[in-house]
């Protein structure tokens, strides 16, 4: 018997093979894509500018900038630097913030990084300099240009050395940027502090490269696809800066003093006191946030106000408490404007002291003018009459005020304090409040009571 065989079409074999091959190719391509980094990743770069004197405002600016960098989750920070230096305390604060920050920080010295600027630059991870720039000359000087006492130089040497060591730079060179008595063989001679040009900084490890722009800095670090976020102060910080204006500070002082005065003159009204409290907040808060006003300086202000109130209502006449209160109040307002270190004004420019004194005295002068000239007109306005008691209770209408258990009219005594025109007198062994008709009576003079109505005795010389 002959068997016959049949052959099925080839497409029944090729179709499953084609499908299997397609599936394998798809998964192979998916694995390849998963292993390949995305080419469109954008690096965030925060750009800050330090292009003025290092002071509490720059200190706060850098602090806010680093917080903004955290909020934006940036990958790099670039600081464009051009400064001749400034306050050592603020530079040290900035240095510490930069050393503790985890993301890479580049500094682009666009002309100058002297003194405090050199310290801040060395605290960055990488230093880049524009053509013709310089870094160094970190000797601590006072406001008259003279070298500061050795304790300041010693401190500056130590933080320059430790900062250079932390960033892998030569600590001996960093110290020699401060102390002219240090000699670095082949680099500087005794009697000269080190200041590097761009090429010298590159040669000795204090600069990575010479560049012309921020873009060059990023390009050298192989950062190709990036977004630059330029840090600028917000509206709140601009408002704070507005209230740091000396003219505005003078107006606030006027409101503070005038408000307290009118509240004491018309107790219970409330509005002058509220205006004074608001002015206090607007005056001290901006200086406090910028690191100028310290807690003890603000406390001195309230001590001064308390002494003045004590002098007016408790202690007769005007003596030590009143004068001390004025000194404390004026001193507090002046000190709040100055970057002093507990009465150490070594690094405060004379012009700043003069401006603070002028602003404060102008505010006080304006307050006195308002009190003694505008005060009378204020009491005549409709608004004042609505909130203040205007009626009087005359004795001719049957009103009297006498809380004494005996009559004093005709009795004699002596002035226990100076009466000008009010003060205290002594009758027998008791002391009483008293006042004259406007006459001045010295302490110890004999007096006679001419009226005992009210809570005080009306007297004249015996």
């Amino acid at each position: 018997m002959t068997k016959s065989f049949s052959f099925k079409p080839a497409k029944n074999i090729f179709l499953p093979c084609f499908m299997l091959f397609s599936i394998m190719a798809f998964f192979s391509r998916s694995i390849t894509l998963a292993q390949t980094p995305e080419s469109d990743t954008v690096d965030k770069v925060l750009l800050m500018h330090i292009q003025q004197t290092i002071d509490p405002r720059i200190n706060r600016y850098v602090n806010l900038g680093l917080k903004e960098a955290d909020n934006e989750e940036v990958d790099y920070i670039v600081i464009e630097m051009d400064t001749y230096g400034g306050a050592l305390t603020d530079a040290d604060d900035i240095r510490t913030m930069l050393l503790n920050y985890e993301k890479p920080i580049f500094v682009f010295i666009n002309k100058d990084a002297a003194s405090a600027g050199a310290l801040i630059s060395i605290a960055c991870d990488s230093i880049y300099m524009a053509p013709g720039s310089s870094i160094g000359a970190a000797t601590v000087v006072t406001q008259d240009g003279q070298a500061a006492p050795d304790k300041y130089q010693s401190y500056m040497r130590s933080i320059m050395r430790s900062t250079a060591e932390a960033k892998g730079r030569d600590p001996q060179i960093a110290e020699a940027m401060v102390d002219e008595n240090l000699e670095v063989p082949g680099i500087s001679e005794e009697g000269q502090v080190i200041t590097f040009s761009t090429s010298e900084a590159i040669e000795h490890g204090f600069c990575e490269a010479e560049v012309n722009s921020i873009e060059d800095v990023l390009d050298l670090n192989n950062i190709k696809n990036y977004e630059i976020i330029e840090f600028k102060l917000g509206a709140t910080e601009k408002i704070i800066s507005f209230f740091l204006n000396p003219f505005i500070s003078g107006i606030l002082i006027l409101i503070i003093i005038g408000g307290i005065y009118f509240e004491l003159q018309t107790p219970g009204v409330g509005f002058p006191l509220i205006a004074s409290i608001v002015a206090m907040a607007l005056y001290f808060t901006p200086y406090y946030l910028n690191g100028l006003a310290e807690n003890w300086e603000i406390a001195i202000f309230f001590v001064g106000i308390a002494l003045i109130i004590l002098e007016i209502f408790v202690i007769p006449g005007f003596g030590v408490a009143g004068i001390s209160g004025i000194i404390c109040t004026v001193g507090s307002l002046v000190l709040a404007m100055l970057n002093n270190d507990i009465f150490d004004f070594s690094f405060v420019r004379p012009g700043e002291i003069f401006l603070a004194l002028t602003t404060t005295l102008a505010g006080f002068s304006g307050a006195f003018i308002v009190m003694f000239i505008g005060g009378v007109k204020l009491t005549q306005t409709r608004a004042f009459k609505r909130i203040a008691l205007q009626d009087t209770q005359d004795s001719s209408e049957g009103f009297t005020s006498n809380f004494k258990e005996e009559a004093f009219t005709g009795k004699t005594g002596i002035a226990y304090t100076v009466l000008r025109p009010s003060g205290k007198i002594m009758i027998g062994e008791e002391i009483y409040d008293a006042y004259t008709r406007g006459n001045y009576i010295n302490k110890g003079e004999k007096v006679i009571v001419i009226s005992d109505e009210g809570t005080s005795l009306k007297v004249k010389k015996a």
Side-chain angles (χ1 to χ4, degrees):
M1 179 182 292
T2 304
K3 294 182 178 180
S4 62
F5 297 90
S6 62
F7 184 76
K8 294 183 178 179
K11 64 179 180 179
N12 294 335
I13 300 175
F14 292 150
L15 183 58
C17 292
F18 177 76
M19 292 177 65
L20 179 63
F21 177 78
S22 298
I23 292 171
M24 292 176 63
F26 173 78
F27 281 107
S28 175
R29 183 172 182 274
S30 299
I31 294 172
T32 303
L33 288 175
Q35 293 175 344
T36 302
E38 294 183 5
S39 58
D40 58 348
T41 301
V42 177
D43 291 317
K44 291 185 177 181
V45 179
L46 185 76
L47 174 61
M48 292 192 289
H49 301 280
I50 299 180
Q51 297 177 317
Q52 63 188 74
T53 301
I54 308 299
D55 59 13
R57 288 172 294 182
I58 292 296
N59 189 342
R60 180 170 170 77
Y61 171 81
V62 173
N63 184 33
L64 293 173
L66 295 179
K67 290 180 179 179
E68 179 69 13
D70 287 335
N71 294 335
E72 294 289 339
E73 298 182 347
V74 302
D75 302 288
Y76 304 94
I77 293 177
V78 178
I79 299 174
E80 185 173 5
M81 172 83 68
D82 184 12
T83 180
Y84 289 109
L88 173 57
T89 52
D90 293 299
D92 190 21
D93 288 343
I94 296 171
R95 171 195 79 106
T96 303
M97 287 187 282
L98 298 182
L99 288 175
N100 293 333
Y101 199 74
E102 297 180 353
K103 299 293 180 64
I105 302 176
F106 311 137
V107 60
F108 171 44
I109 301 175
N110 194 4
K111 297 314 176 192
D112 293 295
S115 190
L119 174 63
I120 295 171
S121 298
I122 295 173
C124 296
D125 297 297
S126 300
I127 301 174
Y128 299 89
M129 298 173 66
S133 298
S134 62
I135 181 174
T139 302
V140 185
V141 297
T142 58
Q143 293 304 322
D144 57 2
Q146 301 298 317
D150 187 63
K151 66 176 182 179
Y152 296 106
Q153 308 297 351
S154 176
Y155 180 70
M156 186 65 168
R157 286 196 304 268
S158 68
I159 59 177
M160 286 286 283
R161 179 178 63 250
S162 62
T163 304
E165 288 176 346
K167 294 301 179 181
R169 301 185 176 98
D170 191 328
Q172 189 178 12
I173 292 177
E175 273 194 274
M177 289 182 175
V178 180
D179 194 344
E180 62 180 12
N181 296 317
L182 294 179
E183 180 180 353
V184 181
I187 298 177
S188 68
E189 299 178 356
E190 186 175 347
Q192 296 178 341
V193 293
I194 291 179
T195 301
F196 282 149
S197 64
T198 301
S199 58
E200 291 170 335
I202 294 173
E203 180 183 354
H204 299 292
F206 279 75
C207 177
E208 273 60 49
E210 179 180 306
V211 297
N212 291 299
S213 64
I214 301 295
E215 290 73 18
D216 290 344
V217 172
L218 300 176
D219 187 59
L220 286 173
N221 285 276
N222 200 32
I223 304 171
K224 304 297 183 182
N225 195 10
Y226 55 83
E227 173 193 1
I228 295 179
I229 303 171
E230 187 173 4
F231 177 66
K232 294 182 178 179
L233 295 177
T236 302
E237 297 301 320
K238 290 180 180 179
I239 292 173
I240 290 174
S241 297
F242 172 77
F243 283 105
L244 290 173
N245 185 303
F247 178 76
I248 301 300
S249 295
I251 293 176
L252 292 174
I253 291 172
L254 185 155
I255 297 173
I256 292 170
I257 304 303
I260 293 173
Y261 171 80
F262 284 115
E263 182 62 29
L264 294 177
Q265 290 294 104
T266 56
V269 173
F271 172 74
L273 181 61
I274 293 173
S276 182
I277 292 173
V278 172
M280 287 181 204
L282 293 177
Y283 180 84
F284 283 111
T285 301
Y287 288 110
Y288 181 82
L289 292 176
N290 279 275
L292 293 173
E294 300 291 341
N295 292 328
W296 64 271
E297 293 171 340
I298 299 174
I300 286 177
F301 175 82
F302 289 103
V303 169
I305 294 296
L307 287 172
I308 293 173
I309 294 175
L310 184 68
E311 182 73 39
I312 294 173
F313 291 103
V314 180
I315 305 174
F318 195 80
V320 176
I323 295 173
S324 299
I326 292 175
I327 292 174
C328 288
T329 303
V330 175
S332 171
L333 294 170
V334 172
L335 290 172
M337 298 185 194
L338 302 175
N339 190 26
N340 70 99
D341 185 11
I342 310 180
F343 298 106
D344 183 357
F345 299 93
S346 300
F347 302 101
V348 181
R349 291 192 295 271
E352 293 178 353
I353 298 175
F354 176 77
L355 181 61
L357 283 170
T358 303
T359 299
T360 303
L361 293 177
F364 267 83
S365 300
F368 284 123
I369 292 173
V370 170
M371 285 187 289
F372 293 109
I373 297 178
V376 176
K377 294 182 178 180
L378 177 64
T379 58
Q380 297 174 351
T381 61
R382 290 183 179 179
F384 186 85
K385 291 179 180 179
R386 289 176 182 173
I387 59 176
L389 178 64
Q390 298 294 312
D391 296 332
T392 59
Q393 297 176 325
D394 295 328
S395 57
S396 59
E397 298 177 359
F399 294 102
T400 61
S401 176
N402 193 335
F403 300 99
K404 304 172 187 64
E405 297 178 355
E406 59 179 304
F408 284 85
T409 303
K411 288 190 175 185
T412 59
I414 61 171
Y416 186 74
T417 67
V418 176
L419 279 75
R420 47 183 179 193
S422 62
K424 292 185 181 295
I425 64 170
M426 176 180 284
I427 299 176
E429 299 297 326
E430 299 293 330
I431 298 174
Y432 301 93
D433 291 325
Y435 65 97
T436 72
R437 290 175 292 188
N439 300 326
Y440 183 94
I441 300 178
N442 287 318
K443 180 180 179 181
E445 291 191 48
K446 289 185 177 181
V447 297
I448 183 170
V449 179
I450 59 177
S451 175
D452 61 0
E453 292 184 359
T455 58
S456 296
L457 303 176
K458 189 176 183 180
V459 300
K460 68 177 182 178
K461 282 187 181 181

